[in-house]
């Protein structure tokens, strides 16, 4: 169990992520004490409707990240299409670096930068997906003593991504989709500064 | 309502890597004059790590040793550190809006000066030249295209791009409101598309570093897209001051798709001409 207060939860997902994210966001309260940043793979020409769509299922304010947005607890930030989303201490930044394993936004980029900036106060959540993006990032979160959660592959629309993570790193929790939000709530409320 | 998160990395907790990066950037600044000290750290770190891989060194200090003693290594570092991704008519709706909202304002000037800051390999500059040509304004324009990196500027100057890219660029040109046949603007030679020379007749390419250099003219339009995201707020503030000082009254500032003037001291000095497309107009 984490002994430090969690400051940031980073979530990564690809194929099947849309419905998985709905389930998680619907079950988190607007008083959630950490900031949430999400990288969902999507086509580079998709528009800003993902945040509007997810907003219908959540009481937390959800926005597509703009450069240098400050991180507020209880707020959800989405990686914009065709940009990497990176976590800095206290705020977010964006980049148009080359895609990483064909993805921009890349889950690895988000996770690794969160681990660099928030160390053990980071929670990484890897959900359904059909590739390996996010595995390295989750390993980095583990390496700085952050907390790692992977969706139980049997509850994933596509099991490749969670399975790859489970095979490569000793993750802290493997949870069915429906248990992830309650667990995050428990974890993040249990220790506050 | 909600309070901002307090940054959780006090100086005492800096990792060895953080310290080495600071030393590296300080050394490069002191010795070569390139100032990366106020770049956004997270993306900078990623690229430094990648350069370490290609240079086959295992610590940042080893990389520093090599860069400070070998100017060729500095060249490779400069290329590797900055991101040069660009495209013609990148974000087509920006150009559609520029045509609709900015071109009518430009028609009122007898002579128009435009600054593309951080123009990379020049695609954005040629896109604007094409747009202004189609609007019948190009002959009244002078475009200043600058970047800190001489290597990309040379490519920009040549106006030669891989022919493979033209299909995508044609598509973007049409979505940006282009009305002609895009192939009118270049000739194909082997694997390359060579852009027609009239498109650079009114363009001045030159080296300019936003972190260290000053204003060099007064402009009616300044475009700086997808450059400021690589800077931290301190450097962003410097550059916004520079832009403000370099724009004429009612001049236009265009930023990248996810960039804003929000939270900068300059927010009140501009009106939003088009929010979604990040076009601002300097007040008086
Ligand atoms: C991602 S490209 C943007 C190209 C183009 N504006 C676009 O949006 O397509 C960023 C460019 O900024 C340049 N750049 C980075 N730091 C700079 C600085 N301090 N001064 C001037 N240019 C800089 C880089 O060399 C690179 O060519």
């Amino acid at each position: 169990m984490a002994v430090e207060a969690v400051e940031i939860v980073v979530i990564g997902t690809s194929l099947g992520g849309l419905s998985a994210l709905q389930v998680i966001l619907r079950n988190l309260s607007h008083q959630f004490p950490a900031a949430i940043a999400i990288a969902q793979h999507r086509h580079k020409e998709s528009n800003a409707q993902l945040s509007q769509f997810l907003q219908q299922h959540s009481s937390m304010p959800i926005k597509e990240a703009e450069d240098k947005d400050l991180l507020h607890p209880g707020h959800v930030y989405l990686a914009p299409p065709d940009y990497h989303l990176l976590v800095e201490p206290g705020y977010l930044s964006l980049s148009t670096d080359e895609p990483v394993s064909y993805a921009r936004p890349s889950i690895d980029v988000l996770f690794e930068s969160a681990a660099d900036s928030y160390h053990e106060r980071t929670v990484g959540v890897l959900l359904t997906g059909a590739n390996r993006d996010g595995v390295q990032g989750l390993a980095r979160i583990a390496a700085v003593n952050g907390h790692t959660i992977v969706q139980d592959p049997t509850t994933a629309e596509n099991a490749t991504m969670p399975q790859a993570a489970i095979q490569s790193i000793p993750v802290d929790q493997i949870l069915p989709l429906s248990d992830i939000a309650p667990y995050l709530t428990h974890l993040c409320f249990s220790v506050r500064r | 309502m909600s309070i901002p998160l307090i940054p959780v990395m006090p100086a005492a907790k800096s990792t060895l890597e953080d310290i080495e990066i600071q030393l590296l950037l300080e050394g490069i600044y002191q010795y070569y004059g390139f100032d990366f000290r106020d770049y956004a750290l997270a993306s900078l770190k990623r690229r430094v790590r990648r350069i370490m891989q290609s240079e086959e060194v295992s610590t940042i200090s080893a990389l520093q040793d090599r860069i400070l003693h070998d100017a060729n290594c500095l060249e490779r570092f400069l290329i590797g550190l900055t991101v040069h991704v660009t495209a013609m008519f990148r974000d087509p709706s920006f150009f559609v809006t520029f045509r609709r909202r900015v071109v009518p304002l430009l028609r009122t000037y007898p002579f128009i000066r435009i600054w593309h800051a951080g123009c990379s390999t020049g695609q954005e500059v040629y896109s604007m030249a094409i747009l202004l040509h189609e609007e019948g304004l190009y002959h009244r324009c002078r475009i200043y295209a600058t970047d800190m990196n001489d290597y990309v500027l040379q490519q920009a100057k040549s106006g030669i791009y891989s022919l493979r890219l033209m299909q995508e660029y044609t598509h973007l040109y049409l979505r940006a409101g282009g009305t002609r046949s895009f192939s009118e603007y270049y000739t194909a030679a082997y694997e390359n598309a060579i852009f027609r020379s009239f498109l650079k007749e009114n363009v001045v390419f030159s080296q300019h570093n936003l972190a260290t250099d000053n204003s060099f003219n007064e402009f009616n339009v300044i475009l700086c897209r997808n450059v400021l995201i690589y800077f931290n707020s301190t450097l962003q503030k410097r550059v916004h001051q520079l832009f403000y000082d370099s724009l004429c009254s009612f001049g236009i500032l265009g930023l990248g798709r996810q960039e804003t003037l929000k939270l900068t001291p300059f927010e009140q000095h501009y009106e939003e001409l088009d929010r979604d497309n990040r076009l601002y107009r300097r007040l008086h």
Side-chain angles (χ1 to χ4, degrees):
Chain A
M1 183 63 40
V3 285
E4 293 278 3
V6 171
E7 300 277 357
I8 184 137
V9 175
V10 284
I11 303 179
T13 180
S14 180
L15 194 65
L18 219 55
S19 43
L21 286 172
Q22 275 175 63
V23 173
I24 293 179
L25 295 177
R26 189 191 305 139
N27 293 300
L28 293 177
S29 118
H30 67 283
Q31 287 171 337
F32 192 73
I36 300 177
I38 300 177
Q40 149 87 69
H41 289 171
R42 50 179 162 157
H43 190 265
K44 68 174 180 181
E45 288 182 24
S46 58
N47 47 28
Q49 279 160 12
L50 181 59
S51 60
Q52 288 160 26
F53 171 77
L54 290 173
Q55 188 67 77
Q56 297 170 352
H57 302 274
S58 174
S59 61
M60 290 178 291
I62 301 180
K63 70 172 300 209
E64 207 155 277
E66 288 176 315
D67 186 46
K68 305 297 177 283
D69 269 342
L70 296 177
L71 286 167
H72 294 278
H75 289 228
V76 181
Y77 307 87
L78 275 178
D82 215 22
Y83 285 84
H84 294 304
L85 178 63
L86 297 100
V87 175
E88 311 262 2
Y91 60 94
L92 293 164
S93 64
L94 299 167
S95 103
T96 57
D97 271 32
E98 295 71 27
V100 176
S101 14
Y102 306 102
R104 189 167 59 205
S106 145
I107 302 167
D108 279 336
V109 170
L110 173 65
F111 282 17
E112 286 173 22
S113 62
D116 282 348
S117 298
Y118 282 95
H119 303 204
E120 72 281 1
R121 295 172 176 198
T122 309
V123 177
V125 184
L126 199 60
L127 305 173
T128 166
N131 51 60
R132 291 186 54 90
D133 188 21
V135 175
Q136 251 186 297
L138 208 62
R140 178 87 117 259
I141 293 174
V144 297
N145 298 318
H147 202 83
T148 56
I149 301 170
V150 172
Q151 180 178 3
D152 179 346
T154 61
T155 69
E157 227 169 288
N158 197 299
T160 312
M161 198 148 85
Q163 242 151 23
I166 292 165
Q167 278 158 17
S168 323
I169 25 176
V171 295
D172 294 315
Q173 295 290 332
I174 300 167
L175 297 172
L177 181 60
S178 56
D179 288 359
I180 292 179
Y183 183 76
L184 283 173
T185 305
H186 162 72
L187 190 68
C188 296
F189 273 110
S190 61
V191 187
R192 292 305 300 160
R193 287 183 290 174
Chain B
M1 228 180 66
S2 45
I3 40 151
L5 279 189
I6 300 151
V8 290
M9 286 216 320
K13 256 182 110 185
S14 289
T15 60
L16 186 55
E17 192 188 36
D18 291 332
I19 295 166
E20 285 182 284
I21 286 196
Q22 294 311 328
L23 292 172
L24 169 71
L25 301 182
E26 188 61 38
I28 290 175
Y29 174 62
Q30 298 272 331
Y31 193 62
Y32 293 109
F34 288 101
D35 193 352
F36 295 105
R37 295 174 301 173
D38 281 322
Y39 276 50
L41 197 57
S43 56
L44 184 114
K45 253 188 204 170
R46 278 195 74 81
R47 291 194 300 278
V48 169
R49 285 180 189 139
R50 209 178 47 204
I51 295 169
M52 284 167 61
Q53 273 175 10
S54 64
E55 296 288 327
E56 297 180 351
V57 294
S58 53
T59 65
I60 296 173
S61 304
L63 182 66
Q64 172 182 327
D65 181 53
R66 193 172 294 179
I67 290 173
L68 291 182
H69 293 100
D70 176 1
N72 291 324
C73 185
L74 175 80
E75 288 299 313
R76 295 194 297 274
F77 179 79
L78 292 180
I79 302 291
L81 195 71
T82 45
V83 177
H84 304 296
V85 178
T86 185
M88 292 200 74
F89 298 100
R90 180 183 197 172
D91 304 319
S93 74
F94 180 87
F95 288 88
V96 171
T97 311
F98 192 93
R99 241 184 239 261
R100 209 180 52 229
R101 302 296 311 272
V102 180
V103 163
L105 302 173
L106 297 186
R107 287 197 199 288
T108 62
Y109 296 115
F111 190 74
I112 303 155
R113 270 193 294 266
I114 299 176
W115 179 15
H116 283 264
C119 69
S120 190
T121 42
Q123 280 87 333
E124 197 177 50
V125 179
Y126 291 105
S127 308
M128 186 53 71
I130 289 171
L131 186 157
L132 294 165
H133 166 70
E134 293 183 354
E135 296 296 331
L137 282 176
Y138 181 62
H139 64 285
R140 283 198 249 156
C141 295
R142 168 117 330 142
I143 299 178
Y144 297 79
T146 66
D147 201 282
M148 62 165 265
N149 192 308
D150 190 50
Y151 177 80
V152 290
L153 268 181
Q154 295 308 324
Q155 278 178 274
K157 243 181 238 181
S158 77
I160 300 174
Y161 304 105
S162 164
L163 200 54
R164 276 183 299 110
L165 294 167
M166 292 308 127
Q167 200 180 349
E168 189 204 340
Y169 289 178
T170 303
H171 173 69
L172 290 167
Y173 164 77
L174 293 172
R175 290 196 23 225
T179 49
R180 320 232 175 135
S181 157
F182 187 59
S183 57
E184 274 179 35
Y185 296 110
Y186 61 86
T187 46
Y190 302 100
E191 308 284 279
N192 289 324
I194 304 169
F195 277 79
R196 287 179 55 194
S197 60
F198 83 87
L199 291 172
K200 54 184 165 191
E201 251 157 39
N202 300 350
V203 183
V204 180
F205 292 95
S206 65
Q207 214 169 349
H208 181 278
N209 191 324
L210 293 166
T212 45
D213 295 335
N214 293 323
S215 178
F216 58 95
N217 215 324
E218 191 181 71
F219 301 95
N220 308 96
V221 178
I222 297 177
L223 300 183
C224 184
R225 304 200 305 145
N226 298 300
V227 181
L228 293 166
I229 48 176
Y230 297 103
F231 301 166
N232 71 14
S233 332
T234 309
L235 183 50
Q236 288 190 348
K237 207 185 287 176
R238 176 195 202 270
V239 177
H240 277 305
Q241 180 75 55
L242 181 64
F243 290 163
Y244 184 76
D245 293 341
S246 308
L247 270 178
C248 67
S249 300
F250 305 112
I252 303 296
L253 177 65
L255 301 177
R257 204 181 70 214
Q258 303 297 128
E259 295 168 330
T260 81
L261 280 169
K262 230 176 32 203
L263 302 177
T264 76
F266 296 90
E267 200 178 354
Q268 325 80 293
H269 298 310
Y270 291 88
E271 63 168 320
E272 271 177 6
L273 204 59
D274 187 286
R275 197 189 180 285
D276 289 344
N277 292 291
R278 316 294 160 155
L279 280 162
Y280 301 88
R281 188 179 196 196
R282 192 185 134 150
L283 297 168
H284 52 258

